[in-house]
Amino acid sequence: MTDLPGVLSSGGWLLATVVAFGAMILVHELGHFLVAKRAGVVIHTFALGFGPRLYAAQRGQTTYAINLIPFGGYVRMAGEDFAEEEPGEGSFRAKPVGVRMAIVAAGPLMNLALAAVLLAVIAATFGVPVGVTNRIGMLVPVCGQPDGASPPVPCPAALVGLAPGDAIVAIDGRPTPSGQEVVETIHRSPGRQLVLTVERQGRRFEVTVTPRLDPARRVGLIGFAPEIIRRRYAPPAALAWGVQRTGEFVAGFVDAIRNLVREGTLLRHLGGPVAAGRVLVEAGRSGGENFLYVAASLSIIIGLFNLIPIPALDGGRFAFLLVEAVRRRPVDPRREGYVHLVGFVLLFLLLIFLTVQDIQR
């Protein structure tokens, strides 16, 4: 797959970011749309974006529209309007509660499915990291700093003249054919001098480095990333890997949110559309693989966010349906409508707050 930096540097990054967000919104709304159609629900409108309409086309009973503001979208179904008195044939509210749950949950689940597909594309096209060699893949600028160092001092690898492509074939005279052995030896040696035997274009020489302690990870670093060994998967195995990685990301994200809530710093770490767009742009500038990784991550976040039981979100609607299933009778539609309206206003205010916060950053 062609990397994106060249395209993004010429301004195409904006188009790539809009297309990525559009795809996330499209698959989300498509999930609601397809399951509702399958259940026999009449779809009045399938729209991408909010605000004034840029384009609209009528196909059967459904109006397909693209609106001005690209961040969002909606599917308007018959019987979904809480002001309607009696649900008729083809109405959302006339369907069994289990069917309505499936329709509501389909949007977030489609976001998770999109993430799995994007990750599968990475596995099939770029390959999955399965290990490292003893060669230097790239020098990195951050490796911990000596106490009181200002301005920042270059990392030991750069100071002794190591370069990408160099192979570290021994440390303190002990052969290191494995890249993992090189990394582990450096990690457990902060503050201790190491003599590296380096091979460059068939010539061997020795350099002495002292790994610096990384205060966050509590390991020694000299300032390089090893060359990565990659394995490309066939499409079925790539999809299985994408599903597995999606599950791992979901578990990690939920755990991270739980920690932020416990620390009381959740709002400070949240980002809105501006922050998400900025992250996508930076990822695209560093390569197509990183762009796809970040797009997959954002799709998962969108899916999980919509599953939170907050009024106006899919999770809030699902919660009301769950109550209906337990009570065996629906919540008063007008009361539920008021609750969702309040939730929508609060979410809109949160979006404004996050956007201002993103810009200030």
Side-chain angles (χ1 to χ4, degrees):
M1 180 175 289
T2 303
D3 277 355
L4 300 180
V7 177
L8 299 185
S9 62
S10 63
W13 58 264
L14 181 58
L15 177 61
T17 300
V18 170
V19 168
F21 276 118
M24 296 174 206
I25 297 165
L26 174 63
V27 299
H28 181 98
E29 300 305 331
L30 193 61
H32 296 311
F33 176 84
L34 292 176
V35 177
K37 276 282 191 183
R38 178 77 176 176
V41 176
V42 173
I43 308 294
H44 292 314
T45 309
F46 180 91
L48 295 181
F50 293 104
R53 284 188 178 177
L54 299 178
Y55 170 81
Q58 186 76 27
R59 296 288 184 275
Q61 297 173 297
T62 307
T63 298
Y64 298 87
I66 298 176
N67 299 328
L68 179 62
I69 304 172
F71 300 109
Y74 59 92
V75 173
R76 190 166 69 84
M77 297 174 276
E80 193 179 21
D81 187 345
F82 297 106
E84 293 182 20
E85 291 293 337
E86 293 294 334
E89 185 180 355
S91 167
F92 173 78
R93 281 194 284 140
K95 301 302 176 182
V97 66
V99 173
R100 283 177 282 152
M101 283 181 170
I103 294 171
V104 170
L109 292 179
M110 280 288 280
N111 280 121
L112 300 184
L114 173 63
V117 170
L118 292 177
L119 292 170
V121 170
I122 292 172
T125 305
F126 298 96
V128 175
V130 294
V132 293
T133 73
N134 62 357
R135 291 190 178 276
I136 295 175
M138 62 181 291
L139 297 180
V140 297
V142 179
C143 56
Q145 289 296 322
D147 291 340
S150 182
V153 178
C155 293
L159 287 173
V160 299
L162 294 180
D166 289 348
I168 301 174
V169 296
I171 298 179
D172 290 337
R174 183 167 54 87
T176 53
S178 162
Q180 190 62 35
E181 189 174 1
V182 171
V183 171
E184 290 176 355
T185 301
I186 293 172
H187 278 182
R188 64 172 178 261
S189 304
R192 183 170 71 85
Q193 280 193 345
L194 299 176
V195 178
L196 310 182
T197 302
V198 180
E199 184 175 282
R200 178 184 296 170
Q201 297 179 347
R203 181 176 64 89
R204 291 194 175 190
F205 58 93
E206 292 184 346
V207 296
T208 301
V209 297
T210 302
R212 297 177 189 163
L213 177 66
D214 175 29
R217 298 165 56 197
R218 308 301 298 174
V219 297
L221 300 174
I222 66 171
F224 80 93
E227 182 182 71
I228 297 173
I229 301 171
R230 292 178 176 273
R231 175 186 172 191
R232 290 187 180 181
Y233 288 104
L239 185 59
W241 181 83
V243 171
Q244 177 187 342
R245 288 291 295 144
T246 298
E248 292 170 356
F249 185 96
V250 168
F253 180 78
V254 170
D255 189 55
I257 292 298
R258 186 185 299 118
N259 291 334
L260 291 175
V261 171
R262 188 183 303 119
E263 296 167 2
T265 59
L266 179 61
L267 275 180
R268 194 172 15 176
H269 286 85
L270 285 179
V274 173
R278 184 184 301 123
V279 171
L280 264 177
V281 169
E282 292 303 320
R285 284 176 176 158
S286 63
E289 180 184 5
N290 288 338
F291 186 86
L292 290 176
Y293 261 119
V294 172
S297 301
L298 290 176
S299 188
I300 292 172
I301 290 171
I302 290 171
L304 292 179
F305 180 75
N306 273 279
L307 286 174
I308 298 174
I310 296 175
L313 292 179
D314 293 328
R317 296 169 64 84
F318 193 90
F320 274 102
L321 291 171
L322 192 59
V323 170
E324 177 181 340
V326 172
R327 298 171 65 216
R328 299 186 180 277
R329 68 178 188 274
V331 177
D332 182 89
R334 287 182 175 80
R335 290 183 180 178
E336 182 181 347
Y338 292 140
V339 172
H340 287 309
L341 178 61
V342 172
F344 180 82
V345 172
L346 293 177
L347 285 173
F348 185 72
L349 293 175
L350 175 62
L351 179 62
I352 293 174
F353 168 79
L354 293 177
T355 301
V356 172
Q357 183 173 261
D358 291 345
I359 294 172
Q360 288 176 341
R361 288 171 178 167

